[in-house]
Amino acid sequence: MLKILGRLLDHLEEWLIAVLMAAATLIIFAAVVHRFASGLPALQPYTQRINMSWAQELAIFMVIWVAKFGAAYGVRVGTHVGVDVLVNRLGPAKRRVLVTIGLVGGVLFTGVIGTLGANYVWQIGHTDQTSEEMELPMWPIYLCIPLGSYLMCFRFLQVTWTYTRHGTLPHRDHGQIDGVAGAGLDLDQIAIEADIKPRDDGA
């Protein structure tokens, strides 16, 4: 049951990030085209009929949601940057303790932020506060704080559980580019495979 829930969350997380990023990109592109076209006298009568003042605000809200859920995704796949020089110099036992403390700290921190965010959303939901351009209620926009933080907390719990049982952490090689077969090869190997010969003119 937990594995099924985890897989559903994985897909939901990835689709939400992808859809919001794509939508925000299209909205900003449309706003830029509209602004450019508005500067052309021949098109002004048509562009003036289209109100795009809401585009920037909506795109900002989308990017904020992407950032919150992207942070949870980063915990799951191990893309967050960490300074582990000192930790790696310790023995296995001490390293395991420090890593576990760090993971538990992540659980506590994101849990607290999620709870504070939920309380804030509850309070703002009883007000008439709306966004400036679209005049939408603000509580659904701020809902990304508790949802994203609790999801991040759940990811920290997953990583902590896996680490305490198997001693492994999610890790992604930042030098590896997905979909590029040659990524990760050293320069000499690339030169050999491409049959690149050094120049002999001294340059």
Side-chain angles (χ1 to χ4, degrees):
M1 185 64 181
L2 289 177
K3 289 184 178 180
I4 295 176
L5 177 62
R7 289 174 184 171
L8 289 175
L9 281 176
D10 291 350
H11 291 302
L12 177 63
E13 186 178 65
E14 293 166 2
W15 273 101
L16 182 64
I17 293 171
V19 169
L20 288 177
M21 281 297 294
T25 302
L26 290 175
I27 289 171
I28 291 299
F29 176 76
V32 170
V33 171
H34 178 266
R35 182 175 298 180
F36 174 78
S38 297
L40 303 176
L43 297 178
Q44 284 181 358
Y46 304 100
T47 57
Q48 288 176 353
R49 301 175 187 175
I50 304 173
N51 179 19
M52 294 291 292
S53 62
W54 51 269
Q56 182 177 354
E57 184 176 77
L58 180 58
I60 289 172
F61 292 153
M62 287 180 170
V63 171
I64 292 172
W65 272 73
V66 169
K68 289 299 296 181
F69 284 87
Y73 174 82
V75 174
R76 174 165 68 91
V77 299
T79 57
H80 283 283
V81 177
V83 181
D84 54 4
V85 176
L86 296 178
V87 175
N88 290 336
R89 292 177 64 89
L90 299 174
K94 292 181 179 179
R95 185 188 311 130
R96 192 180 187 91
V97 170
L98 283 182
V99 171
T100 303
I101 291 174
L103 292 173
V104 172
V107 171
L108 295 175
F109 177 77
T110 51
V112 169
I113 295 298
T115 302
L116 293 175
N119 183 58
Y120 181 74
V121 170
W122 174 261
Q123 291 180 3
I124 204 172
H126 292 82
T127 67
D128 296 328
Q129 184 176 350
T130 59
S131 62
E132 184 176 349
E133 295 293 340
M134 297 184 295
E135 298 183 351
L136 294 175
M138 289 300 295
W139 71 265
I141 298 166
Y142 284 116
L143 196 61
C144 67
I145 299 174
L147 292 180
S149 297
Y150 281 138
L151 180 59
M152 197 172 180
C153 182
F154 174 73
R155 296 305 186 191
F156 269 118
L157 285 170
Q158 280 185 315
V159 174
T160 304
W161 174 257
T162 302
Y163 183 71
T164 54
R165 292 190 65 189
H166 306 291
T168 59
L169 290 170
H171 175 70
R172 174 168 291 185
D173 183 4
H174 296 286
Q176 179 70 30
I177 303 174
D178 292 339
V180 179
L185 295 175
D186 61 26
L187 296 179
D188 293 336
Q189 183 65 28
I190 293 175
I192 292 172
E193 292 186 357
D195 195 23
I196 299 175
K197 296 180 174 58
R199 297 174 60 179
D200 55 5
D201 57 1

